[in-house]
Amino acid sequence: MGFGVVVLEPDGHAPAARVADTKLLAPYDDEASLAELSRLCAAVTTEFENVPAASLHRLAAHCSTAPEAAAVEVCQHRLREKAQFAAAGVPCAAHAALRTEADLAGIPPSLFPGILKTARMGYDGKGQRPVDDAAALAGAWNDLGRAECVLEARLAIRCELSVIVARGADGHCVHLPVQQNLHRGGILAVTRVPAPDADAATIASAVAMAHRLAEAMDYVGVLCVELFILDDGQLVANEMAPRPHNSGHYSIDACDVSQFELQVRTLAGWPLVAPRQHSAAVMLNLLGDLWFTGGLEKPSEPEWAPLLELPGVHLHLYGKAEARRGRKMGHLTVTAVSAGQACRVALQCAERLGIERF
Ligand code: ADP
Ligand code: MG
């Protein structure tokens, strides 16, 4: 859209830094770089929710920031996030805070079996421990460095959804078609749109919840809300991401407006229109594990040609310098005229790559 892009990032190999017009290689809280960023930019956003909220506060004094620091602060902290769900009238898992030794004894027995999660800095299933009973809690908390945590009841999940909304400064809010997500080992593996296992009423309530949350936070920018459909059909919120989300990458290839274009429009103060999905889509994440198939010590990049010869396959590689197990290296989106056809081709891709069937 003709904008120049400046990236502030401590890692010079970061994918965004590779495509930016200007790079500021520094920690996210480096005073001089923040000053330079606000001097160079008319608008600033974050691509990663663990940028210190204080840095966003600092930038907001000199240029427009979206999302605002206050909203990012909520999404950075699982307990604040759950309080925000409650304030917006959105249900979430039963939970309790674990901050001090004294809290251990006060955890209600109804939360077991549960999942202990660090309040901050968790992603891709990191910073989480399953806890079967009260006796196992202290050990799990020690494992997590006795950091501030939340214990959540382990829910019986039928399937997972996510809703991506974009909200402008004028309060106008649009959303992408709702994603159904399959996680493996706490990491997103497959996204399907349309969602094969959710009925229209459930999709409509998921969308309503996401809009309600964006409204309640007076959010400006792109927001992803992750939700669970439980075995009994009940819909509960899991967590939020204050940025474009992995589950929305399908929109690049399958919608007439992508989540990234929505992000740019919210920054530019341009109108937001509801994206229209023109193709059914299945997205497969490409984890670093694929670089180590065959038990090789040294990573070797998979062969892409056998995938690209299939119809409707779009390959996205992020250009990360080093492949590691569990690291998101890229994704594939399969687009097709029908969900069935997209699924068939995606299963062929999975088979050729050695990814487990979904
Ligand atoms: P992350 O920040 O790593 O994405 P999440 O809270 O989203 O953390 O957890 C990752 C995955 O773990 C979820 O997508 C879901 O599959 C599973 N999970 C998380 N919380 C629960 C829960 N309370 N009950 C059952 N499964 C859960
Ligand atoms: Mg998650």
Side-chain angles (χ1 to χ4, degrees):
M1 294 164 124
F3 294 114
V5 177
V6 186
V7 164
L8 168 61
E9 161 62 48
D11 173 6
H13 296 292
R18 291 180 38 153
V19 297
D21 298 285
T22 305
K23 303 176 233 295
L24 301 172
L25 282 184
Y28 299 127
D29 57 0
D30 182 72
E31 284 291 325
S33 302
L34 289 170
E36 181 67 354
L37 192 63
S38 59
R39 193 183 65 80
L40 290 170
C41 297
V44 177
T45 189
T46 170
E47 211 268 331
F48 167 61
E49 69 259 41
N50 290 324
V51 165
S55 296
L56 292 170
H57 269 303
R58 168 112 178 39
L59 290 165
H62 306 279
C63 57
S64 135
T65 63
E68 283 188 340
V72 173
E73 227 159 10
V74 169
C75 302
Q76 281 174 343
H77 195 283
R78 293 188 192 277
L79 288 161
R80 286 196 200 133
E81 194 167 59
K82 285 181 163 55
Q84 182 65 68
F85 290 150
V90 170
C92 66
H95 61 277
L98 176 51
R99 297 185 180 95
T100 65
E101 185 85 34
D103 291 335
L104 282 172
I107 301 285
S110 59
L111 295 184
F112 299 104
I115 302 182
L116 188 66
K117 303 180 180 179
T118 55
R120 291 178 177 280
M121 292 293 185
Y123 71 98
D124 286 350
K126 292 183 174 69
Q128 298 194 14
R129 292 288 181 281
V131 186
D132 289 337
D133 49 38
L137 185 58
W141 191 42
N142 281 334
D143 269 3
L144 296 175
R146 297 167 82 90
E148 183 179 20
C149 281
V150 56
L151 180 72
E152 287 179 27
R154 200 179 305 160
L155 302 170
I157 296 171
R158 187 203 296 164
C159 72
E160 301 191 36
L161 303 178
S162 55
V163 185
I164 291 168
V165 297
R167 188 170 179 275
D170 61 356
H172 184 57
C173 191
V174 301
H175 60 273
L176 289 178
V178 173
Q179 298 90 227
Q180 180 169 326
N181 303 320
L182 171 68
H183 290 80
R184 289 180 173 145
I187 306 177
L188 181 63
V190 183
T191 293
R192 283 182 280 178
V193 194
D197 302 317
D199 58 36
T202 305
I203 299 259
S205 3
V207 167
M209 285 179 186
H211 278 254
R212 215 147 71 221
L213 283 162
E215 182 80 22
M217 291 188 282
D218 197 13
Y219 192 90
V220 179
V222 172
L223 175 75
C224 177
V225 181
E226 296 182 9
L227 304 125
F228 301 141
I229 304 179
L230 305 186
D231 282 350
D232 65 4
Q234 201 198 327
L235 192 61
V236 301
N238 173 36
E239 61 168 353
M240 298 185 283
R243 53 172 169 79
H245 190 257
N246 191 173
S247 66
H249 290 350
Y250 83 96
S251 60
I252 300 169
D253 300 302
C255 296
D256 60 357
V257 180
S258 76
Q259 62 171 347
F260 299 102
E261 177 170 344
L262 290 174
Q263 184 186 32
V264 173
R265 288 187 184 214
T266 60
L267 283 175
W270 283 349
L272 302 176
V273 293
R276 183 182 63 85
Q277 187 179 2
H278 52 68
S279 299
V282 177
M283 192 268 327
L284 298 180
N285 262 341
L286 302 171
L287 298 184
D289 306 59
L290 300 177
W291 274 244
F292 294 93
T293 52
L296 298 169
E297 298 263 300
K298 215 163 89 20
S300 80
E301 190 163 339
E303 296 271 2
W304 305 117
L307 307 170
L308 293 169
E309 72 188 22
L310 297 168
V313 173
H314 309 268
L315 176 65
H316 298 265
L317 294 170
Y318 311 144
K320 292 185 180 175
E322 189 199 344
R324 288 197 293 268
R325 289 179 198 279
R327 188 174 206 204
K328 291 170 176 170
M329 304 301 290
H331 68 272
L332 281 182
T333 302
V334 180
T335 54
V337 287
S338 69
Q341 174 65 8
C343 188
R344 275 189 294 280
V345 175
L347 284 169
Q348 280 179 288
C349 292
E351 194 183 334
R352 290 180 188 191
L353 285 165
I355 296 176
E356 192 189 327
R357 286 179 69 85
F358 52 89

